[in-house]
């Protein structure tokens, strides 16, 4: 019904959604820094939020207008990433790392302790808007956990009760994180066994200029001779990827090299140390790859949790530009112009998948692309693009400097060179261990002081759970490939709960693009939650185990990308090797429903006023 003119309604603006002058200034500064490039949308949102704590809708509208984008697109991107907030959060955001190894070190009890002292629940904002406390995925600090993130750019390591109490005291007093003790933010590079990569390049290797002068074909041949395979776990031959990109047509004449530094696999932290200690080797590797394929643009996609590394990485790039190692005619090679920029992720595990990473670099939601075409042929902005991770590019630099035959002489015939393993969990010496490819699980356990392990998760949640009976297996592409994580579980750990924790991780990190992954991962969690509640109550049955096997088959065969396909790997392995942990939760002789179906009808009975036998599913006894 239309209101008369005298009674027209007046829309009162939601002041919480109105951007402040401070917010508009922050957005304009970020837009100017990124030259109003719509492909830098994620960077603009991150940098704006660093000053505003969260992103009101009208601020998103302002950014959308400035970039020539729709509000729907900008809002869709802002709601995709875990570290971007479209609802009010505390001015100081505290996020506890929620990897399984952090939980094993007591992170949940410490989170509860902090929340109790602050008077907030996880996910809630203090009434005065001062702070909020919540969880996030693994922060890449498993060697010095439990750990947490502050405002998505600072890390606090080695948490204990005393540090939590001191943290609560400062939060309640309104002390800025910049004024917290420096010791809290200390991040150690815990290297216990270094080989060629972690020891760095020797001083007598040929300079970069000499390597670039050899020309693209010589570089490609050297990498091919080495037999180097990608260190992200899949093991695709690096020379083949580089050749595909070099030979692919480039409509605008532009090619790209992208470093995947989105080390989001829980339990992995090797790239963090390489970025901290060996950034020049990484940038050498990117520059050599660019020379090999004819690229002009280099991009490092740095995971959001490693924001604290950004200043030193930017300083290294500035120094290299001053030395003539980036920019026009790199190292004096005429016609070879190449530079590197760093983009920050915003908290999305799926962006570790190379095509999702490219979508994020282009200012979009990080949803994996349909392939083919592959990034080597059609990547960043449609240009032929090589995407390699940090360890792979550092290895490529060593190969170019020291020779492909030298690298091939290390490791095994199918898995040449060395591999860095991030060891954490139930061991005396967590940290990094670099070995020639082909080392056994048992050798790593002996070296890290894990004397009574019952299982090791190799390669992170998407890898394999290896029982004690298989500790003689070799970590190499022909046996047990690994992306780098090596999580140790002693006999005190319930492997059912380990599998359940990883299932929750995958359900949370699904991008939601395809139904099997979006729905299937959630169904796995619900089934495991039912079994967890059933222990001792007789509510779990063989039916529940059968449904888990069906979901495992569905996810392995019907998902859009590798996240969904690997989401049930922990479930499959723990069921196969630690079935008793599931069997003791599924003792009922017949299927037991998760819901009390009669109780679910209670609302309908109240509405209709019925309590007769026909209104109940169970009529044997009525109150």
């Amino acid at each position: 019904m239309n209101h008369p003119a005298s009674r027209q309604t007046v829309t009162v603006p939601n002041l919480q959604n109105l951007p402040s002058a401070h917010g508009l200034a922050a957005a304009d500064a970020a837009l100017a820094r990124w030259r109003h490039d719509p492909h830098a949308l994620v960077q603009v949102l991150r940098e704006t939020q660093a000053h505003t704590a969260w992103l009101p809708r009208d601020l998103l509208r302002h950014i959308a207008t400035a970039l020539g984008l729709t509000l729907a697109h900008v809002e869709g991107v802002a709601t995709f990433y875990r570290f971007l907030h479209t609802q009010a959060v505390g001015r100081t955001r505290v996020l506890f790392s929620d990897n399984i190894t952090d939980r094993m070190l007591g992170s949940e009890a410490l989170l509860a302790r902090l929340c109790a002292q602050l008077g907030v629940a996880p996910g809630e904002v203090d009434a005065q808007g001062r702070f909020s406390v919540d969880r996030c995925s693994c922060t890449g600090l498993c060697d010095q956990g439990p750990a947490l993130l502050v405002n998505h750019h600072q890390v606090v390591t080695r948490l204990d009760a005393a540090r939590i109490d001191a943290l609560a005291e400062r939060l309640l007093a309104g002390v800025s994180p910049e004024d917290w003790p420096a010791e809290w933010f200390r991040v150690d590079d815990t290297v216990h066994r270094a080989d060629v990569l972690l020891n760095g390049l020797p001083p007598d290797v040929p300079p970069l200029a000499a390597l670039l002068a050899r020309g693209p074909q010589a570089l490609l041949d050297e990498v091919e001779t080495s037999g180097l395979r990608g260190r992200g776990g899949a093991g695709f031959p690096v020379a083949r990827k580089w050749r595909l990109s070099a030979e692919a047509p480039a409509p605008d004449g532009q090619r790209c090299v992208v470093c995947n530094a989105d080390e989001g696999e829980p339990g992995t932290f090797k790239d963090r140390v390489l970025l901290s200690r060996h950034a020049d080797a990484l940038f050498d590797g990117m520059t050599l790859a660019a020379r090999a394929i004819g690229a002009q643009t280099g991009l490092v996609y740095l995971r959001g949790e490693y924001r604290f590394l950004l200043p030193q990485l930017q300083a290294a790039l500035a120094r290299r530009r001053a030395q003539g190692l980036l920019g026009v005619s790199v190292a004096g090679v005429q016609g070879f112009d190449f530079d590197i920029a760093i983009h920050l992720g915003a908290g999305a595990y799926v962006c570790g998948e190379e095509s999702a990473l490219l979508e994020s670099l282009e200012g979009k939601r990080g949803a994996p692309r349909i392939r083919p075409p592959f990034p080597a042929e059609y990547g960043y902005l449609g240009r032929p693009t090589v995407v390699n991770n940090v360890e792979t590019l550092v290895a490529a630099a060593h190969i170019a400097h020291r020779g492909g035959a030298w690298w091939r002489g290390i490791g095994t015939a199918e898995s040449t060179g060395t591999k860095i393993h991030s060891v954490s969990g139930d061991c005396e010496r967590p940290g990094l261990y670099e070995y020639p490819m082909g080392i056994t699980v048992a050798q790593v356990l002996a070296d890290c002081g894990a004397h009574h392990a019952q299982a090791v998760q190799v390669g992170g949640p998407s890898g394999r759970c290896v029982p004690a009976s298989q500790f003689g297996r070799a970590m190499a592409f022909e046996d047990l490939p690994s992306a780098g994580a090596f999580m140790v579980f002693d006999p005190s750990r319930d492997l059912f709960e380990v599998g359940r924790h990883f299932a929750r991780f995958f359900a949370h990190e699904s991008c939601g693009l395809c139904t099997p992954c979006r729905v299937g991962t959630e169904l796995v969690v619900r089934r495991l939650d039912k079994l967890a509640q059933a222990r001792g109550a007789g509510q779990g049955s063989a039916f529940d185990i059968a449904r888990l096997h069906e979901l495992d088959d569905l996810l392995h065969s019907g998902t859009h990308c590798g996240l969904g396909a690997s989401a049930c790997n922990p479930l499959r392995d723990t069921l196969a090797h630690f079935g008793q942990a599931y069997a003791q939760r599924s003792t009922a002789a017949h299927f037991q429903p998760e819901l009390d179906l009669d109780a679910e009808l209670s609302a309908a009975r109240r509405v209709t006023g019925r309590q007769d036998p026909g209104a109940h599913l169970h009529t044997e006894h009525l109150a």
Side-chain angles (χ1 to χ4, degrees):
M1 182 176 67
N2 293 325
H3 292 277
S6 60
R7 296 183 59 194
Q8 287 183 350
T9 57
V10 177
T11 301
V12 179
N14 181 352
L15 298 180
Q16 196 180 46
N17 270 318
L18 292 179
S20 64
H22 172 70
L24 293 172
D28 288 340
L31 288 162
R33 170 169 149 70
W34 291 95
R35 301 178 182 179
H36 289 75
D37 180 2
H39 301 119
L41 175 60
V42 176
Q43 308 311 302
V44 170
L45 293 174
R46 275 206 63 133
E47 292 186 12
T48 301
Q49 184 180 269
H51 296 277
T52 62
W54 67 290
L55 300 165
R57 194 174 200 197
D58 278 3
L59 186 55
L60 296 178
R61 182 178 285 109
H62 175 78
I63 291 170
T65 301
L67 294 177
L69 301 171
T70 66
L71 174 60
H73 175 84
V74 174
E75 206 162 37
V77 170
T79 55
F80 181 84
Y81 296 93
R82 186 172 61 250
F83 290 172
L84 298 176
H85 306 292
T86 57
Q87 299 293 325
V89 295
R91 291 186 292 275
T92 300
R93 283 90 64 204
V94 175
L95 295 175
F96 278 74
S97 179
D98 195 31
N99 186 33
I100 188 67
T101 56
D102 291 284
R103 289 196 171 213
M104 288 159 60
L105 291 168
S107 63
E108 282 296 283
L110 294 173
L111 182 149
R113 185 185 186 98
L114 180 62
C115 286
Q117 294 188 38
L118 298 179
V120 297
E124 288 185 356
V125 182
D126 163 58
Q128 299 174 43
R130 295 173 295 176
F131 44 74
S132 54
V133 181
D134 211 336
R135 300 174 181 87
C136 67
S137 295
C138 179
T139 55
L141 295 160
C142 312
D143 52 335
Q144 48 212 297
L148 57 79
L149 279 174
V150 182
N151 294 341
H152 310 311
H153 74 274
Q154 291 174 296
V155 294
V156 178
T157 56
R158 292 171 288 273
L159 297 171
D160 57 19
R163 186 160 290 185
I164 288 295
D165 294 346
L167 174 59
E169 181 180 344
R170 284 165 172 79
L171 287 171
L172 289 168
V175 178
S176 169
E178 284 70 27
D179 296 321
W180 294 357
E183 168 64 17
W184 291 8
F185 305 124
R186 193 183 89 234
V187 176
D188 296 331
D189 295 336
T190 48
V191 177
H192 292 295
R193 189 187 192 282
D195 208 306
V196 294
L197 301 184
L198 290 173
N199 278 326
L201 286 164
D204 59 347
V205 296
L208 182 63
L211 301 178
L212 296 173
R214 295 175 184 172
Q217 190 60 50
L219 291 171
L220 285 167
D221 290 345
E222 208 70 67
V223 174
E224 188 160 31
T225 297
S226 74
L228 176 64
R229 297 171 67 171
R231 266 32 187 177
F236 192 84
V238 173
R240 189 188 306 173
K241 179 182 284 191
W242 289 14
R243 287 191 191 279
L244 285 170
S245 192
E247 295 167 359
D252 63 357
Q254 299 285 308
R255 289 179 167 81
C256 304
V257 172
V258 172
C259 171
N260 182 349
D262 189 50
E263 188 178 41
E265 191 71 43
T268 309
F269 48 90
K270 61 185 176 62
D271 290 352
R272 185 199 84 214
V273 178
L274 290 172
L275 289 163
S276 174
R277 287 192 171 194
H278 303 291
D280 277 304
L282 166 64
F283 297 142
D284 274 3
M286 294 182 69
T287 305
L288 291 160
R291 177 67 166 150
I293 72 167
Q296 301 80 20
T297 301
L299 296 168
V300 176
Y301 189 90
L302 181 66
R303 70 177 305 209
E305 292 85 346
Y306 289 169
R307 168 65 178 78
F308 64 93
L309 294 173
L310 184 61
Q312 68 188 78
L313 293 173
Q314 295 282 28
L317 289 175
R319 172 173 47 76
R320 291 175 72 90
R321 292 187 189 102
Q323 294 170 342
L325 299 180
L326 288 173
V328 178
S329 298
V330 175
V333 178
Q334 296 299 314
F336 177 44
D337 303 339
F338 177 70
D339 210 337
I340 297 172
I342 300 176
H343 285 234
L344 276 170
Y349 169 77
V350 72
C351 287
E353 195 275 339
E354 61 179 7
S355 68
L357 181 152
L358 294 173
E359 290 288 292
S360 184
L361 282 174
E362 293 179 0
K364 306 172 189 173
R365 295 164 65 92
R369 297 175 177 176
I370 295 173
R371 297 181 297 178
F374 293 92
E377 302 166 306
Y378 188 90
Y380 178 66
L381 302 182
R383 299 164 179 166
T385 302
V386 159
V387 183
N388 288 129
N389 75 357
V390 174
E391 187 180 3
T392 305
L393 288 163
V394 171
H398 278 262
I399 290 164
H401 281 288
R402 305 170 78 172
W406 160 80
W407 183 264
R408 182 172 281 281
I410 305 170
T412 72
E414 294 184 40
S415 305
T416 61
T418 66
K419 183 76 186 76
I420 306 173
H421 303 277
S422 309
V423 178
S424 63
D426 294 316
C427 62
E428 295 171 356
R429 294 176 294 279
L432 294 187
Y433 294 76
E434 183 183 6
Y435 299 93
M437 292 284 273
I439 195 73
T440 64
V441 173
Q443 184 63 60
V444 181
L445 290 171
D447 290 348
C448 73
H451 305 297
H452 306 289
Q454 68 162 325
V456 175
Q457 187 73 25
V458 174
S462 64
R464 302 298 304 271
C465 184
V466 181
S469 61
Q470 298 182 14
F471 285 172
R473 293 182 66 179
M475 287 189 288
F477 294 112
E478 57 265 42
D479 186 3
L480 195 62
S482 173
F486 189 99
M487 291 183 276
V488 184
F489 304 103
D490 70 19
S492 70
R493 308 301 178 186
D494 183 346
L495 271 297
F496 168 87
E497 288 296 342
V498 172
R500 182 179 171 220
H501 177 86
F502 289 153
R504 287 200 298 265
F505 166 78
F506 282 115
H508 182 264
E509 294 295 342
S510 172
C511 75
L513 179 66
C514 68
T515 302
C517 182
R518 182 181 66 252
V519 177
T521 53
E522 181 61 32
L523 291 176
V524 170
V525 170
R526 292 186 185 183
R527 190 67 58 179
L528 292 174
D529 285 348
K530 178 190 176 186
L531 289 173
Q533 297 164 4
R535 187 171 187 175
Q539 297 299 305
S541 69
F543 176 89
D544 299 298
I545 304 300
R547 296 292 80 76
L548 286 172
H549 282 295
E550 290 176 3
L551 289 166
D552 174 29
D553 291 340
L554 169 68
L555 285 163
H556 271 93
S557 61
T559 57
H560 175 66
C561 78
L563 186 152
S566 60
C568 276
N569 284 357
L571 171 65
R572 175 178 288 188
D573 287 344
T574 52
L575 271 169
H577 302 307
F578 303 95
Q580 182 57 33
Y582 290 81
Q584 64 187 1
R585 292 172 166 89
S586 54
T587 57
H590 304 287
F591 168 70
Q592 301 293 320
E594 296 176 65
L595 301 175
D596 181 341
L597 298 179
D598 187 62
E600 292 298 309
L601 293 174
S602 60
R605 287 193 291 268
R606 285 195 302 271
V607 170
T608 59
R610 291 182 57 182
Q611 282 296 335
D612 58 279
H616 288 267
L617 289 177
H618 305 288
T619 60
E620 292 82 6
H621 174 74
L622 293 177

